[in-house]
Amino acid sequence: MSQGRIEQIGTPQETYERPASAFVAQFLGKTNDFAATIDRAAAPARLVAGSWSAPAPGGLAGPVTVSIRPERIGFGSTGLAAKIVTRIFQGNHWLFSVRERMRPRDRDPSKRRPAAAAEGEAVRLVWRPEDMSLRGAGAPA
């Protein structure tokens, strides 16, 4: 609930993985939100944010907010271009802040080279399509 209004009803796992609003996403931990557009005129439809794009899921069209939990974001050879601003060792993982305001959290250092990812380094951020949660422009903020 937020200001006496129900924001989302669901299990803890459902609300964490698929938040219905920015309030729910932030209330249940860190999240990364960025603006994108679903272009249904393209064939096939595309989810576009700047120079990055991916196949669009069904349902929404036009402006959307993409929400991704930090632990779902990794580094790869393709993906959203970003630059590491800070990196913080948090015991069992590294927390990176990047220029695109994404915060990837690397839980498996052996697979995604966090020690080599230095502040100022250009990287590519990757995640699985099923790890994204989308909210349309008309959704509560």
Side-chain angles (χ1 to χ4, degrees), residues 48-114:
V48 180
S51 62
W52 173 85
S53 75
L60 298 171
V64 295
T65 298
V66 178
S67 185
I68 308 167
R69 295 291 181 183
E71 64 272 15
R72 303 292 189 191
I73 302 170
F75 299 112
S77 58
T78 62
L80 181 65
K83 184 178 278 190
I84 295 176
V85 176
T86 60
R87 70 181 192 148
I88 302 166
F89 182 65
Q90 296 190 325
N92 66 343
H93 64 272
W94 288 87
L95 180 64
F96 294 88
S97 292
V98 299
R99 184 177 308 152
E100 278 25 329
R101 298 180 64 181
M102 305 284 286
R103 291 177 176 241
R105 185 182 312 159
D106 200 313
R107 290 194 179 275
D108 189 351
S110 66
K111 290 186 179 178
R112 296 188 186 142
R113 64 181 184 87

Side-chain angles (χ1 to χ4, degrees), residues 12-74:
Q13 185 174 357
E14 288 169 350
T15 54
Y16 181 81
E17 292 179 0
R18 298 282 179 237
S21 68
F23 174 82
V24 173
Q26 295 297 329
F27 182 79
L28 295 175
K30 292 184 186 315
T31 192
N32 300 288
D33 289 337
F34 63 94
T37 302
I38 295 180
D39 180 5
R40 295 265 175 233
R46 302 294 293 173
L47 175 63
V48 180
S51 62
W52 173 85
S53 75
L60 298 171
V64 295
T65 298
V66 178
S67 185
I68 308 167
R69 295 291 181 183
E71 64 272 15
R72 303 292 189 191
I73 302 170

